[in-house]
Amino acid sequence: MTDYAQFLQALEKKRQAVIFIVEGFNFTVNRIDWENLSTGLTKRDPDLMERLSALNDRFAKLQDLTGGLMKHWMLANGLAADDFRLVISAMEKHQLIDSADLWRAIRLMRNDAAHEYDIDVAFQQNYFNEVHRLGSLMCDWANRVIKWTENKA
């Protein structure tokens, strides 16, 4: 197998990983009782906490894997992708994401949450509602990138 064929094989594996994480994110979203989130957080419901942890993990992986897929596609097509800002700009240019600034804002929100653990129920409820809202948007973006990278290398 040639190096390029191996590169394309790796690209397809990345596409499949993004498909898998989109499915996993949506599965977890559907297992959370969003109307009673505050009550579950207040009670520290262990089942809810486990689901929120899975949601948070999948939210992070969703962005990482989607960006990685686009970067790999760009490299497979001989495009500059050594600076991730180029990848985000290309995603925005091809309307695969709505806004490079929003992509970066989501990244900052995610990174802040990874390094802080606030036990305030109102804060957690707001954060997870944002993960739900922005994660759904990122699933849309991921699906655009999946479609874009299909048979384009």
Side-chain angles (χ1 to χ4, degrees):
M1 184 179 295
T2 67
D3 288 343
Y4 187 69
Q6 289 176 328
F7 207 75
L8 292 179
Q9 187 176 41
L11 179 67
E12 182 55 28
K13 284 182 181 179
K14 288 181 182 296
R15 285 184 71 257
Q16 293 303 316
V18 175
I19 291 168
F20 181 74
I21 202 66
V22 166
E23 290 171 352
F25 182 86
N26 288 323
F27 174 80
T28 302
V29 161
N30 291 327
R31 294 186 67 225
I32 296 171
D33 181 1
W34 293 99
E35 291 180 17
N36 295 308
L37 181 60
S38 179
T39 302
L41 287 168
T42 300
K43 292 180 178 179
R44 297 281 182 240
D45 176 348
D47 290 330
L48 174 64
M49 300 315 242
E50 185 174 291
R51 290 173 183 158
L52 291 173
S53 179
L55 184 73
N56 202 45
D57 181 59
R58 290 173 175 159
F59 178 71
K61 285 181 181 168
L62 181 58
Q63 192 174 38
D64 288 345
L65 293 174
T66 301
L69 172 59
M70 186 64 182
K71 179 178 181 174
H72 198 90
W73 178 86
M74 290 174 68
L75 292 170
N77 285 278
L79 302 172
D82 53 321
D83 183 336
F84 201 73
R85 289 174 292 192
L86 296 172
V87 176
I88 297 169
S89 293
M91 290 168 69
E92 184 178 43
K93 176 184 172 189
H94 295 294
Q95 299 178 338
L96 303 176
I97 63 173
D98 299 338
S99 159
D101 289 338
L102 182 54
W103 178 278
R104 285 189 282 277
I106 292 169
R107 184 77 169 187
L108 285 174
M109 181 187 95
R110 188 198 100 186
N111 287 347
D112 287 347
H115 299 288
E116 298 292 327
Y117 190 79
D118 195 323
I119 61 171
D120 178 69
V121 170
F123 175 85
Q124 288 184 340
Q125 182 176 6
N126 182 57
Y127 172 75
F128 284 111
N129 281 329
E130 279 296 284
V131 166
H132 182 201
R133 182 181 72 82
L134 294 171
S136 296
L137 177 63
M138 285 197 313
C139 284
D140 179 53
W141 293 351
N143 285 323
R144 292 181 205 174
V145 172
I146 290 164
K147 187 173 181 174
W148 176 263
T149 58
E150 187 175 35
N151 303 318
K152 282 207 172 195

